[in-house]
Amino acid sequence: MKYADAGVNIDLGDDVSKMLYNAAKQTWSNRKGQLGEVIVPFDDFSGVRAIDVSQLPKGTLMNISFDGIGTKTEIAERSRNHRTMAYDLFAMVCDDAVVRGAEPVLVGSILDVRSLKGTDETPFLDEVRQLAQGYIEAANAANVAVVNGEVAELGSRVSGYGEFNYNWGAAVVWFAHKDRIFTGKEIQEGDMLVGLREHGFRSNGLSLVRKVMLAHHGPEWHQVTLKKDGTLADLVLKPSCIYTKAAVEMFGGYYNEPKANVHGIVHITGGGLPGKLGRVLKPSGLGAMIDNPFLPSEFMLYVQAQGNISDREAYRTWNMGQGMVIITPEPDAVIAVAHSYEIESQVIGRITSTTGIRIVNKGAFVETNREPEMIFV
């Protein structure tokens, strides 16, 4: 008996690893001449990759953050479109790092697949190429270097739709100076909240989206076309906007000159706007009034209405139109940086002395539920 009899093809696994390695190599130039420049003693996909940190000054902090893209992989499996998955993966780890006042530098990932071959023995090389191409594009969007791309065949431990099933997780190494770390105590009453626009679900609340779509459109819901907007799979698959480059430029990252005075950053993922903003505000004891939020996308409102999901529940589950919020006394400067990266932004509210988070409702049922303003404590 051979290892391949258990569903693991060593030679094919090496080929896929080399494919991901070659994609990673194309990201190293993102950090050239900056903190995190990749040092390669010899060029081999199993060789050493490292960065020289010997000259970093006292007060330098480093950490590693982890995350994944959850069940959004099933949408890619349904549509057979894996090109944008890396955007979701990098958004989850890199945009989380800037919340701390840190600059993301290096990313490593682990791709767990059911098998690298289909039942007809055809290798899933095109699918891996799509993931690898997304790797390159997303790393550039986040200005990070990819130092590895591990892949593992796990057989029935991984399942999903169709034959090419996978889970994808990543870690990001970030650096910060202790004097630039956001603690929450920098936030002051009167600070403005600048929302950065998001048109998709990012990688959060997708289990609820899939449940609603299954209930209303059946098992093959991903093939249904909604008006002229494309298939439902295309709409759910919309890649996450990566805000990292813009945010780092705003507060200056590890050592560059800040373009704006930033007191805090909120990445709107699981828990939604009230959950994530509430966590950032907790150390200050302050609250927020959000009276001008972005409208959720039409498709998000469609899913909410089809699932009869309350506005309150929607705001606690999805980003509802804003993927990141910058807390600042200089909103014009923040908006200018966002605009330079073609990110739509606007002042959505302000910090208040009154605790709790008040949101002017833009959900699907605002006209019928008599809750034009929602209060989250």
Side-chain angles (χ1 to χ4, degrees):
M1 185 174 291
K2 299 179 180 179
Y3 205 1
D5 296 327
V8 179
N9 189 306
I10 296 175
D11 293 333
L12 180 56
D14 283 347
D15 290 342
V16 168
S17 294
K18 290 175 183 177
M19 188 183 299
L20 294 174
Y21 170 73
N22 287 328
K25 282 176 64 177
Q26 295 186 53
T27 73
W28 297 348
S29 61
N30 293 336
R31 301 303 303 182
K32 188 172 181 62
Q34 304 177 69
L35 172 63
E37 181 172 359
V38 180
I39 307 299
V40 185
F42 57 93
D43 190 8
D44 181 82
F45 85 98
S46 61
V48 176
R49 272 106 49 204
I51 59 172
D52 183 359
V53 296
S54 59
Q55 301 301 315
L56 292 181
K58 185 176 181 179
T60 297
L61 304 178
M62 187 201 83
N63 204 340
I64 305 175
S65 302
F66 303 85
D67 210 338
I69 49 180
T71 62
K72 197 166 186 176
T73 53
E74 185 187 307
I75 317 304
E77 292 166 2
R78 285 175 174 269
S79 66
R80 297 184 179 180
N81 178 4
H82 308 276
R83 291 185 295 273
T84 61
M85 285 290 96
Y87 279 84
D88 301 296
L89 184 64
F90 282 54
M92 291 305 101
V93 293
C94 296
D95 285 349
D96 263 0
V98 298
V99 168
R100 308 298 182 186
E103 182 171 350
V105 171
L106 305 173
V107 169
S109 73
I110 175 67
L111 178 68
D112 292 331
V113 301
R114 181 183 183 90
S115 175
L116 290 172
K117 280 187 176 182
T119 54
D120 63 354
E121 294 299 303
T122 301
F124 292 120
L125 294 180
D126 181 63
E127 289 82 353
V128 175
R129 285 192 188 96
Q130 291 183 43
L131 293 172
Q133 183 60 39
Y135 227 27
I136 298 167
E137 296 169 2
N140 180 61
N143 195 37
V144 295
V146 179
V147 291
N148 84 318
E150 297 296 326
V151 60
E153 290 182 278
L154 300 183
S156 60
R157 297 293 293 181
V158 179
S159 61
Y161 184 93
E163 288 196 273
F164 182 61
N165 308 134
Y166 61 99
N167 297 317
W168 209 6
V172 61
V173 176
W174 57 254
F175 289 86
H177 195 279
K178 66 178 183 179
D179 294 335
R180 291 191 175 187
I181 286 287
F182 297 133
T183 67
K185 295 181 180 179
E186 298 84 4
I187 300 169
Q188 300 174 13
E189 179 185 357
D191 281 348
M192 307 305 287
L193 303 174
V194 176
L196 306 185
R197 188 77 156 109
E198 174 58 84
H199 292 279
F201 288 93
R202 299 182 76 74
S203 285
N204 306 103
L206 271 299
S207 294
L208 180 57
V209 174
R210 291 186 298 107
K211 183 174 182 179
V212 172
M213 293 296 95
L214 177 64
H216 286 270
H217 296 289
E220 302 302 306
W221 61 264
H222 59 283
Q223 297 179 4
V224 175
T225 299
L226 186 64
K227 297 181 180 179
K228 296 181 180 180
D229 298 325
T231 66
L232 294 179
D234 292 336
L235 293 169
V236 180
L237 197 62
K238 191 171 185 64
S240 301
C241 181
I242 297 176
Y243 304 107
T244 299
K245 268 189 180 180
V248 166
E249 186 169 318
M250 289 171 193
F251 68 81
Y254 173 69
Y255 52 63
N256 290 321
E257 189 69 25
K259 294 290 182 67
N261 186 1
V262 177
H263 287 172
I265 297 178
V266 188
H267 183 200
I268 313 303
T269 54
L273 185 55
K276 292 304 185 184
L277 180 56
R279 181 184 298 179
V280 170
L281 290 178
K282 188 175 181 180
S284 69
L286 298 170
M289 176 65 203
I290 300 171
D291 54 9
N292 186 41
F294 279 110
L295 281 170
S297 69
E298 288 187 18
F299 181 59
M300 188 173 287
L301 294 175
Y302 171 82
V303 175
Q304 186 192 346
Q306 292 297 309
N308 195 28
I309 300 161
S310 71
D311 293 336
R312 183 172 289 271
E313 183 69 12
Y315 271 96
R316 291 172 60 90
T317 304
W318 301 318
N319 60 73
M320 297 298 276
Q322 33 272 305
M324 183 169 281
V325 176
I326 311 297
I327 304 172
T328 176
E330 299 178 354
D332 289 344
V334 166
I335 290 172
V337 173
H339 182 264
S340 72
Y341 284 92
E342 299 183 345
I343 298 172
E344 189 179 350
S345 61
Q346 67 185 35
V347 174
I348 64 170
R350 64 190 183 280
I351 300 298
T352 65
S353 59
T354 304
T355 58
I357 297 171
R358 290 164 170 78
I359 302 177
V360 171
N361 188 4
K362 297 291 181 72
F365 301 111
V366 62
E367 295 182 3
T368 59
N369 67 5
R370 297 182 181 180
E371 196 174 16
E373 179 181 310
M374 297 182 294
I375 302 176
F376 298 87
V377 179

